[in-house]
Amino acid sequence: MGAFEDLGTFGLYSFEFEQLPAARIRESVQELEEQGWRSFWFPEVGGREAFSLASLILSSTERIRAVNAIAQIWARDARSARGGGALLADAYPGRHVLGLGYGGQRRPGVKPLAAMREYLDAMDAPDAPGAETPIRRVLAAYGPKMLELSRDRAAGAHTYHVTVAHTVQARETLGPVAFLGVEHPVLFESDATEARAIAREHLHPYLNTPFNVEKFRRLGYTEDEITHGADRLVDDLVFWGDLDTIVKKLRDHVDAGADHVTVQVIGTAPGESMPHWRRLAEALL
């Protein structure tokens, strides 16, 4: 894990802070810090600007690490991203990780790998804002070429909605040194029919977007399994059941080569995940 040992082996990932008011975010992240969580990962999809939210989380706590997962490269130019990351690194030493990603929408005529490489080139220009300040940077990556770019141009990779088999493959591509952070959804529901129904609803967007479909094809799932959300695929992508079952499956990612696993609780309304986060803290930390 190297420079990322401070994140711990397990962290939390959530969309909830995209919707909660600032006061609730502040209270929630302070409670998470008290529970012992060392990192909190969050996306940039619902209108909350990535660096502003990171700053709120960091200013509300003393120890917890804020991880952009991801800050979309289309939301700001590379020089702004470099300046923002440098300011957070300076203001909160060692407590911010900048995760960068292409985002889930296709852009006609734009190749993700080329776009990311061009973005990194601009970020790393000698005259970029804050060029003298080191920032911790990882890239969202699924396929082998983006994973290679994560290894060569960042500290490592962040994967999202993947299987344990993908973690094995990602580690092989990244090699033994680069950081590998893996997100995985969990659902506290032991009835198979109910659990799979909730999981399919959660997975629906990912089973119908090109980049994710390509990822699942590479992992060996058939077109029919992807189209219909087959039990095998659903069970591999969402760990459901009781606490012991979920914890055991999460540890499989670590055994497969992940340095860090960030856990996303699904099946709860915004603001209602805290009891589950507490149970996970007691079991994992």
Side-chain angles (χ1 to χ4, degrees), residues 45-245:
V45 293
R48 290 278 167 82
E49 196 277 327
F51 291 87
S52 300
L53 183 50
S55 181
L56 175 59
I57 292 169
L58 292 167
S59 66
S60 300
T61 55
E62 296 180 358
R63 299 175 302 279
I64 207 164
R65 274 60 176 165
V67 187
N68 291 116
I70 55 167
Q72 296 195 35
I73 64 173
W74 307 109
R76 63 198 59 79
D77 64 38
R79 291 176 63 86
S80 297
R82 175 72 211 191
L87 178 59
L88 290 175
D90 181 34
Y92 305 98
R95 294 183 56 208
H96 177 242
V97 178
L98 176 58
L100 294 170
Y102 181 85
Q105 299 300 317
R106 282 195 182 277
R107 293 175 179 262
V110 178
K111 295 183 177 180
L113 189 68
M116 181 60 74
R117 187 178 287 116
E118 181 179 345
Y119 197 87
L120 296 176
D121 288 343
M123 279 191 75
D124 295 342
D127 64 343
E132 71 285 353
T133 303
I135 61 175
R136 296 199 290 181
R137 181 173 75 192
V138 297
L139 306 183
Y142 301 134
K145 291 183 179 180
M146 194 67 81
L147 285 164
E148 289 172 357
L149 189 67
S150 303
R151 177 195 65 204
D152 298 338
R153 297 293 304 276
H158 162 47
T159 60
Y160 183 83
H161 280 30
V162 297
T163 65
V164 172
H166 184 277
T167 297
V168 172
Q169 295 174 12
R171 174 49 68 198
E172 291 175 351
T173 302
L174 289 170
V177 176
F179 172 77
L180 176 56
V182 178
E183 174 275 347
H184 205 103
V186 303
L187 173 62
F188 287 91
E189 173 58 63
S190 294
D191 180 84
T193 300
E194 181 67 14
R196 287 170 177 153
I198 296 171
R200 284 191 183 94
E201 182 178 1
H202 169 80
L203 292 170
H204 178 76
Y206 307 101
L207 299 177
N208 290 275
T209 51
F211 296 133
N212 284 285
V213 169
E214 291 171 11
K215 171 179 64 180
F216 300 142
R217 286 175 182 152
R218 286 195 299 268
L219 286 168
Y221 298 99
T222 67
E223 294 295 330
D224 186 68
E225 285 179 308
I226 298 169
T227 300
H228 296 99
D231 289 353
R232 180 172 80 102
L233 177 58
V234 169
D235 292 352
D236 287 345
L237 291 175
V238 176
F239 295 157
W240 54 267
D242 59 25
L243 180 63
D244 289 343
T245 298

